Amino acid sequence: MRVSDHYYPARAVVDLSAIRENIRTLAQAADGSAVMAIIKADAYGHGLIPVAHEALAAGATWLGVAQVSEALSLRRSGITAPILTWLYGPGAPFDELVLAGIDLSVASLDALARVHRAALATDRTARIHVKVDTGLGRGGLARGQWDEFRAALRYAVDAGGIDVVGLWSHLAFGDEPGHPFTQQQLTELNSATRDLEKIGLTPQLRHLAASGATLREPSVHLDLVRPGVAIYGLTPMPEVASAAQLGLRPAMRLVADLATVKPVTAGQGVSYGHQYVTDRDTVLGIIPLGYADGIPRHLSGTNEHPGAPVHVAGPNPRSGNISGRVCMDQVVVDLGPEAAEQIGDRIVLFGDPALGDPSAQDWAERAGTINYEITTRLGARVPRIYTGHRDAVADQS
Ligand SMILES: Cc1ncc(COP(=O)(O)O)c(C=O)c1O
């Protein structure tokens, strides 16, 4: 690939020092429980391998990903830390996963049989975490499947090739600290633990907590916590506390170079359908990012309902809003009649409020979604640029 193939007029700048700080904050909150950094979905859009290295350097001792392909990529990149993966069907490369020493969640008789077969075929021991549904109503063994599963598990362990490393579940109200259902789920997990003990199996690791419970629900920390969104400096519970209030710093800034700056007269319709019409002579700036880059079309603006906030980071820093419809590759911002911006000046779409940027949370609220969706949906074609390296003398952002 030629250098010119890499050019893009926008970038997601990921500050690795923020990732490390957030991991340390989470480890402190975990208060002795091990930390599994959840880096699925390309580390929530931040980049799988770079985030994995920072998380491990800052004190996480486990990595967790939903997809087995991500687990294998981590191993192939040379990472030796334990990795848990949990979402797969009958076609998964079980032999390869067992050979790579990946911990596999097992949530059905079918999965147990396939993993066991792979262990016997490769002459290795498969490390499994039994997943029980304690009330979320999503993945995990249902109560009605439990007795048959336990019998099969005991049989598989006796036959050799299965190490029951963990017993785990996922909370339904992790973003609502103090919710009584969380304690109900803990009770269910405790009951499943006793059921395994009755058949002579004692998993070393029991885990239940994601970011919200890591930060605000110590009663469910157990042996290991699994924070995801908080690693990236975003709040898991916006109704309860902002990222800053939780001691978290956003790691990603989405930055674009203005592609066009031009004067227009009052009454100019802007973008498809003219949903926004200039009410005075003004200056428009064209940002080279659109819905193909993951900018939600719900962030389009009209005269009555301004679009997503942005930070105009040129000579006269100020806030602005997306004006008119979000297109596939671009959006427009009405920069105002006094705008002094030039082509190439920077616009920060979202990032760190401490730097004057709107947050991913602000974008989520404006789009009627959650901050998770804002960063995970960021398009693959937007380059990720890393700053705040461990050996960096000065930040290059
Ligand atoms: C099983 C599991 N554990 C942990 C997490 C991390 O959750 P959060 O990003 O809210 O910390 C997720 C994410 O959805 C998950 O599916």
Side-chain angles (χ1 to χ4, degrees):
M1 202 184 262
R2 291 164 304 167
V3 172
S4 54
D5 292 341
H6 292 286
Y7 170 73
Y8 208 72
R11 62 215 78 91
V13 181
V14 177
D15 182 347
L16 297 173
S17 71
I19 302 271
R20 294 194 300 278
E21 275 172 41
N22 296 331
I23 288 278
R24 286 191 206 104
T25 300
L26 289 158
Q28 207 169 0
D31 197 22
S33 301
V35 176
M36 175 188 288
I38 300 300
I39 54 172
K40 59 187 176 147
D42 198 29
Y44 291 43
H46 295 65
L48 181 72
I49 306 294
V51 171
H53 284 288
E54 297 313 305
L56 293 171
T61 51
W62 280 77
L63 300 174
V65 286
Q67 299 293 344
V68 303
S69 55
E70 292 190 301
L72 289 169
S73 298
L74 288 165
R75 266 292 175 272
R76 281 194 209 108
S77 79
I79 286 172
T80 56
I83 301 166
L84 174 66
T85 186
W86 58 84
L87 208 57
Y88 55 82
F94 293 102
D95 290 8
E96 199 181 339
L97 288 161
V98 172
L99 283 170
I102 306 288
D103 286 44
L104 289 158
S105 171
V106 167
S108 67
L109 276 174
D110 181 79
L112 179 63
R114 289 177 198 279
V115 172
H116 193 205
R117 214 174 297 143
L120 297 176
T122 56
D123 201 21
R124 297 288 179 96
T125 297
R127 294 164 51 91
I128 70 165
H129 296 229
V130 173
K131 187 165 193 186
V132 284
D133 185 355
T134 54
L136 174 60
R138 198 178 68 179
L141 288 144
R143 230 178 209 297
Q145 301 174 298
W146 189 224
D147 288 343
E148 193 184 356
F149 179 85
R150 279 194 308 144
L153 181 63
R154 184 65 258 179
Y155 182 83
V157 170
D158 288 343
I162 295 287
D163 181 9
V164 184
V165 175
L167 175 67
W168 74 305
S169 193
H170 196 44
L171 294 174
F173 295 91
D175 57 347
E176 295 182 42
H179 197 290
F181 198 73
T182 296
Q183 294 307 313
Q184 220 168 296
Q185 290 193 257
L186 177 61
T187 303
E188 285 292 320
L189 192 73
N190 287 339
S191 154
T193 310
R194 283 192 299 275
D195 286 346
L196 286 187
E197 281 166 357
K198 278 183 208 150
I199 58 164
L201 299 174
T202 308
Q204 307 139 41
L205 294 172
R206 298 188 322 132
H207 45 107
L208 195 52
S211 293
T214 300
L215 291 162
R216 288 288 167 93
E217 204 83 72
S219 63
V220 294
H221 283 173
L222 305 177
D223 303 304
L224 175 149
V225 294
R226 304 187 310 266
V229 78
I231 295 173
Y232 311 101
L234 304 177
T235 175
M237 41 188 160
E239 312 286 322
V240 177
S242 67
Q245 286 167 331
L246 293 168
L248 303 168
R249 183 154 72 86
M252 181 189 285
R253 288 184 102 193
L254 181 60
V255 182
D257 307 326
L258 280 170
T260 301
V261 179
K262 63 182 186 190
V264 295
T265 53
Q268 172 69 55
V270 174
S271 191
Y272 296 125
H274 285 182
Q275 286 188 343
Y276 178 85
V277 180
T278 57
D279 59 2
R280 69 245 188 276
D281 294 355
T282 188
V283 176
L284 298 181
I286 313 303
I287 299 175
L289 284 171
Y291 59 76
D293 299 293
I295 310 298
R297 200 162 167 279
H298 283 96
L299 294 180
S300 301
T302 65
N303 292 72
E304 296 73 37
H305 192 35
V310 300
H311 177 205
V312 182
N316 170 26
R318 63 195 184 283
S319 59
N321 293 88
I322 292 177
S323 311
R325 278 195 194 144
V326 173
C327 308
M328 185 183 294
D329 310 287
Q330 47 197 312
V331 296
V332 182
V333 173
D334 183 344
L335 294 168
E338 310 299 330
E341 279 71 32
Q342 310 279 331
I343 285 176
D345 279 346
R346 285 191 320 159
I347 301 286
V348 183
L349 290 97
F350 62 80
D352 186 352
L355 303 174
D357 310 333
S359 63
Q361 181 59 33
D362 293 331
W363 269 41
E365 282 168 21
R366 177 61 186 72
T369 184
I370 52 174
N371 54 26
Y372 297 66
E373 202 174 339
I374 299 297
T375 64
T376 55
R377 282 211 176 182
L378 196 66
R381 71 183 189 179
V382 179
R384 273 60 167 175
I385 306 293
Y386 295 96
T387 64
H389 295 274
R390 269 164 283 154
D391 52 356
V393 176
D395 199 325
Q396 304 293 305
S397 63

